[in-house]
Amino acid sequence: AAPGDSSVQAATAAASDAADAIAGARATQVEGKAGGLGWKPVTSSDMAFQAFWNQMDTMSTSPSIQTELALLQAESARQRTIQEEVLAQTSGIQLSVLDFVEHGGQPPSVEALTAWLEIRDIDTALWGTGEAKTVQEFFHELWAGESEPLGSATQRVISVVKVRILDISDEGTWQLYETKQTLCRDGRTRPRNRPLAEKLRPNEEVEACCVRGVREELGSLVGNNSVVKIREGSLAQWDETRVSRSFPGLETLYKLYQVDVEVEGLTFKVTGENFDTEEDPQLSTGKVHRWQWVPCGGVDWDPVSAN
């Protein structure tokens, strides 16, 4: 029965009782009038109200409409759960995948991440070409903690530490920036034209991320134990939102930090104006970086050209 059916039936019964009461009242009136003294007229309204409240007293001991509705909603939720389980078993998809695609979180697989993107109208046809990274690389970024878990909204959130490496001498101040990057997996080259930048990992301090970035990208030149000196008072922080170059079509919120540093053994005099470094495959992905020293203030930095 639908919610409220019992209440409708009860109201109908009350109306029927009221009608019977009215008929009885009229019979009583006739008998009383015939009897003479002591007769009091009983109106149909009196009897109708009495019959109605008698029926209400009876209804108060039965389940209310709200209770019936709550029971129906609970049963509906139970049936929906059963249907989802059947769907998951039939299609071979786990409920965790369906939940991720709808609500976000950590993707259980590359396929689930692809579905999350497609259902939000993100075209991945160009991912993995030119400067763009692949869906698999986005998957690894999420599980490495370099990107915050996804939500229901279509947005990627990362924290990036920008490291301005300086060489300060009597001849002037130089700053180092990366001109391009070669990806070892397929030989593609990506233009960079920005200072060293590293994604911040969960619970990692900005200073620690800065040192890690220097040693990963420049370690083949300066060594993994090089001293990285952060200039006091240089830390800056701001947020920017724009579409990612690495993942076209995907809006990204960048939580940006920037520090100025000097690295022991890394100077214009030692390296010359241009030089290359190669990442240690055991520490990162083995990319090759092309660097160039420029006079301090001679570069118009792109705030979030890093990834």
Side-chain angles (χ1 to χ4, degrees), residues 8 12 26-27 35 66 86-87 95 107 127 154 189 242 255 286 294:
V8 173
T12 302
R26 288 174 177 168
Q66 290 81 0
V86 171
L87 173 63
L95 287 177
W127 288 30
T154 311
T189 297
R242 64 172 66 183
K255 299 179 179 180
V294 299

Side-chain angles (χ1 to χ4, degrees), residues 78-90:
R78 189 180 73 85
Q79 292 295 333
R80 182 171 179 268
T81 299
I82 293 173
Q83 290 172 358
E84 288 180 344
E85 289 175 351
V86 171
L87 173 63
Q89 293 172 358
T90 303

Side-chain angles (χ1 to χ4, degrees), residues 167-174:
D167 174 20
I168 303 173
S169 66
D170 295 338
E171 289 78 19
T173 300
W174 298 82

Side-chain angles (χ1 to χ4, degrees), residues 73-276:
Q73 289 173 335
E75 177 61 18
S76 177
R78 189 180 73 85
Q79 292 295 333
R80 182 171 179 268
T81 299
I82 293 173
Q83 290 172 358
E84 288 180 344
E85 289 175 351
V86 171
L87 173 63
Q89 293 172 358
T90 303
S91 62
I93 302 174
Q94 297 299 317
L95 287 177
S96 60
V97 174
L98 299 176
D99 186 67
F100 166 75
V101 172
E102 181 177 358
H103 303 294
Q106 288 290 72
S109 66
V110 175
E111 292 74 18
L113 179 56
T114 302
W116 184 93
L117 293 165
E118 289 179 349
I119 202 171
R120 289 162 176 79
D121 296 324
I122 302 297
D123 185 4
T124 59
L126 296 178
W127 288 30
T129 65
E131 296 183 54
K133 295 182 178 180
T134 64
V135 176
Q136 187 170 13
E137 286 176 302
F138 186 25
F139 176 82
H140 290 158
E141 177 184 281
L142 286 161
W143 277 100
E146 294 179 341
S147 179
E148 294 183 14
L150 298 171
S152 56
T154 311
Q155 189 180 62
R156 167 179 172 248
V157 181
I158 64 172
S159 297
V160 177
V161 178
K162 296 166 64 66
V163 185
R164 297 206 311 169
I165 300 173
L166 304 178
D167 174 20
I168 303 173
S169 66
D170 295 338
E171 289 78 19
T173 300
W174 298 82
Q175 56 188 355
L176 188 66
Y177 78 104
E178 186 182 20
T179 59
K180 64 181 180 179
Q181 184 182 99
T182 301
L183 307 178
C184 293
R185 68 175 183 276
D186 55 18
R188 283 188 295 128
T189 297
R190 304 197 310 166
R192 304 297 278 167
N193 300 315
R194 50 82 164 161
L196 185 152
E198 193 68 39
K199 296 188 189 75
L200 196 66
R201 292 175 177 173
N203 303 316
E204 186 177 37
E205 298 292 334
V206 171
E207 293 79 3
C209 179
C210 168
V211 173
R212 177 171 59 82
V214 169
R215 291 176 177 173
E216 282 183 4
E217 298 191 13
L218 292 158
S220 63
L221 177 67
V222 298
N224 292 328
N225 296 315
S226 56
V227 177
V228 180
K229 180 182 178 181
I230 299 175
R231 301 193 71 188
E232 186 176 354
S234 67
L235 176 63
Q237 196 278 324
W238 69 99
D239 293 346
E240 292 189 12
T241 301
R242 64 172 66 183
V243 174
S244 170
R245 292 182 182 178
S246 295
F247 304 108
L250 181 59
E251 181 183 88
T252 299
L253 169 62
Y254 296 89
K255 299 179 179 180
L256 298 169
Y257 302 85
Q258 180 171 285
V259 292
D260 293 343
V261 307
E262 295 177 69
V263 181
E264 182 182 25
L266 185 58
T267 64
F268 180 95
K269 186 176 181 179
V270 171
T271 64
E273 183 179 1
N274 299 283
F275 63 94
D276 294 341

Side-chain angles (χ1 to χ4, degrees), residues 8-50:
V8 173
Q9 294 169 357
T12 302
S16 177
D17 289 347
D20 292 341
I22 292 169
R26 288 174 177 168
T28 302
Q29 287 175 350
V30 172
E31 293 173 359
K33 191 172 183 180
L37 296 175
W39 172 76
K40 291 183 179 181
V42 180
T43 67
S44 60
S45 295
D46 291 335
M47 296 304 297
F49 276 115
Q50 184 60 47

